[in-house]
Amino acid sequence: MLRKIFNLIINNLVPVIFIVVSCFAIPLSGFSAEYLIQELLTRIGRNAFLILSLLIPVMAGMGLNFGMVLGAMAGQIGLLFICDWGVVGIPAVILAMLIGTPIAIILGIFCGYVLNKAKGREMVTSYILGFFINGVYQLFVLYFMGWIIPLTSNALLLSRGYGVKNSLSLNGIRGVLDNLIPTVIAGTEKTKDFLSVNLNNSSNPFILFELPFFNGIIKIPLATLLVIGVFCILIVWFRNTKLGHDMKAIGQNQDVANFSGIAVNRTRIIAIVISTVLACYGQIIYLQNMGTLNTYNGHDQAGMFSIAALLIGGASVSRATIKNVFMGVILFHLMFIVAPNAGKNLIGDAQIGEYFRVFVSYGIIALSLVIHALKRNRESKFAHKNLDSDI
């Protein structure tokens, strides 16, 4: 029994560490339960789609796709055009996705082709590839837009007449998906009239969940969560299609899959294209929640934070599930929420919490990769030992 518990802890070391740290940090932060629930719901809606886009390449045996930032860049280009054209609301979000999709497909094909030339080193290759395409993206938005590619709105341009400003407001689409179905949880003493006056600026009534013994008010991004839920169902369905089975076979053993007649290189490219397109949509969902676009570095941390969250949820380089996504986004962003305040209350300096967040996002990736390497080394030694005993 003790051995089983020990193995369970070792196999889930990263999430266990975060659960333990969170148990200490939450009381130190001083935040109420209502505040933490509200923040977690917001961040699940904001980040889950991006993290889910990582699952397909892992299933295909390509590891963690650091190249998802290519899709994030494609999504931001779509947002730049809808800002220029003045499109607002849900149509603007859909249009941005339509503009970003072909760009993401082209970038995904290029990324998949490069990764096929670097089999066994996909993660580091996709990481460096992100820097390369970032240079192309910077050239595109800093010089081509407003010069070669005409923009109708001077409000987007730098004072020199070409190149996009560093920060853009997305007020036209801010929260349009999150607030599409206005929903709240409130205590029984709260009335619908009170909620309508204070939280709802449109004529749409709230869907109100009244809970006894609950004193707070929590807004739920119901439409965003429904989109994420539908996407999860599609992933489960996709795994049972022929293409999904081919990807799983490639993930288990590429040589056996090749001898079985599976087009390994083509299937791997498809996996990266799907991931890149989904990352494009995820970045648009993320930014409609934020309401601000940092033109030149808004995509930088999309891959790093998404991968860190997935690993914190108990995923590995070779295996990741939907359960890992949601566990990771809760644990990772719970730490992001409580760390600054916990650091301030414990040491008197909130900046300590900020440093800890950066340390965690990079350190957890290194720790997970080390654990994965140790597991593979142990499994390899065990396999060789069994082979020698059979001989």
Side-chain angles (χ1 to χ4, degrees):
M1 183 65 179
L2 290 175
R3 186 173 182 82
K4 287 183 178 179
I5 295 174
F6 177 76
N7 289 334
L8 181 65
I9 293 173
I10 293 299
N11 293 331
N12 298 277
L13 185 60
V14 175
V16 167
I17 291 173
F18 266 75
I19 291 172
V20 172
V21 173
S22 297
C23 289
F24 284 99
I26 291 173
L28 288 172
S29 69
F31 291 131
S32 65
E34 291 84 358
Y35 176 81
L36 291 177
I37 293 170
Q38 177 68 80
E39 286 296 310
L40 285 176
L41 282 172
T42 301
R43 289 168 188 258
I44 288 171
R46 182 189 300 166
N47 296 279
F49 204 103
L50 271 172
I51 304 171
L52 286 165
S53 70
L54 294 165
L55 297 184
I56 302 298
V58 173
M59 184 171 68
M62 303 182 75
L64 302 166
N65 181 24
F66 286 90
M68 67 177 292
V69 295
L70 277 63
M73 288 183 246
Q76 290 181 183
I77 289 174
L79 290 174
L80 288 175
F81 280 112
I82 64 108
C83 286
D84 181 50
W85 298 338
V87 188
V88 298
I90 292 295
V93 172
I94 296 173
L95 181 59
M97 290 180 176
L98 291 175
I99 295 171
T101 298
I103 300 172
I105 290 173
I106 293 170
L107 292 176
I109 292 172
F110 172 69
C111 182
Y113 178 80
V114 172
L115 295 184
N116 279 339
K117 299 294 183 181
K119 289 179 180 176
R121 301 178 298 275
E122 289 93 347
M123 286 190 292
V124 67
T125 304
S126 62
Y127 186 67
I128 299 303
L129 195 59
F131 285 114
F132 169 67
I133 297 300
N134 183 49
V136 178
Y137 170 82
Q138 304 283 351
L139 179 68
F140 185 85
V141 296
L142 188 58
Y143 291 100
F144 290 174
M145 297 193 81
W147 175 35
I148 297 176
I149 301 171
L151 295 179
T152 58
S153 175
N154 291 329
L156 269 66
L157 297 176
L158 296 170
S159 58
R160 64 188 181 186
Y162 62 90
V164 181
K165 290 181 178 178
N166 185 59
S167 181
L168 298 177
S169 172
L170 299 177
N171 284 334
I173 63 168
R174 183 171 188 173
V176 293
L177 183 58
D178 300 328
N179 300 322
L180 186 62
I181 307 175
T183 313
V184 298
I185 296 176
T188 53
E189 77 278 5
K190 306 296 181 182
T191 65
K192 291 184 181 181
D193 291 336
F194 175 84
L195 292 170
S196 298
V197 170
N198 287 276
L199 299 178
N200 191 15
N201 294 323
S202 67
S203 59
N204 295 325
F206 273 94
I207 297 176
L208 177 67
F209 297 95
E210 290 189 331
L211 298 179
F213 312 112
F214 182 78
N215 296 320
I217 300 174
I218 297 175
K219 299 182 190 179
I220 307 172
L222 188 59
T224 308
L225 296 178
L226 287 174
V227 169
I228 292 168
V230 170
F231 182 38
C232 291
I233 294 171
L234 290 176
I235 290 176
V236 174
W237 167 81
F238 178 79
R239 285 174 173 168
N240 295 316
T241 63
K242 183 184 182 302
L243 181 57
H245 286 300
D246 288 348
M247 289 183 183
K248 285 190 282 188
I250 293 170
Q252 292 172 0
N253 193 307
Q254 289 188 32
D255 293 331
V256 173
N258 192 37
F259 287 130
S260 300
I262 299 173
V264 173
N265 287 346
R266 177 176 173 274
T267 305
R268 283 163 56 94
I269 290 175
I270 291 173
I272 290 297
V273 169
I274 293 173
S275 178
T276 307
V277 172
L278 294 177
C280 167
Y281 300 161
Q283 184 72 353
I284 292 171
I285 292 173
Y286 173 86
L287 290 173
Q288 67 82 32
N289 177 273
M290 296 295 291
T292 303
L293 169 60
N294 291 322
T295 308
Y296 298 100
N297 57 13
H299 55 276
D300 282 349
Q301 301 299 332
M304 190 67 66
F305 287 171
S306 297
I307 289 170
L310 186 61
L311 292 173
I312 288 168
S316 69
V317 174
S318 57
R319 186 179 181 277
T321 65
I322 294 172
K323 178 184 71 175
N324 299 139
V325 171
F326 289 100
M327 184 180 293
V329 73
I330 290 171
L331 289 176
F332 185 60
H333 287 283
L334 181 62
M335 184 58 59
F336 261 48
I337 296 165
V338 302
N341 224 44
K344 179 181 178 181
N345 293 335
L346 183 64
I347 304 174
D349 187 359
Q351 194 64 36
I352 296 295
E354 295 292 337
Y355 292 144
F356 182 70
R357 295 199 298 188
V358 175
F359 165 76
V360 164
S361 59
Y362 288 95
I364 205 65
I365 293 175
L367 176 61
S368 298
L369 295 179
V370 168
I371 292 172
H372 176 71
L374 291 174
K375 284 182 179 179
R376 289 189 60 181
N377 188 40
R378 185 176 61 183
E379 291 170 359
S380 178
K381 287 181 178 180
F382 184 73
H384 282 299
K385 184 178 180 180
N386 287 341
L387 182 62
D388 292 338
S389 62
D390 291 340
I391 294 174

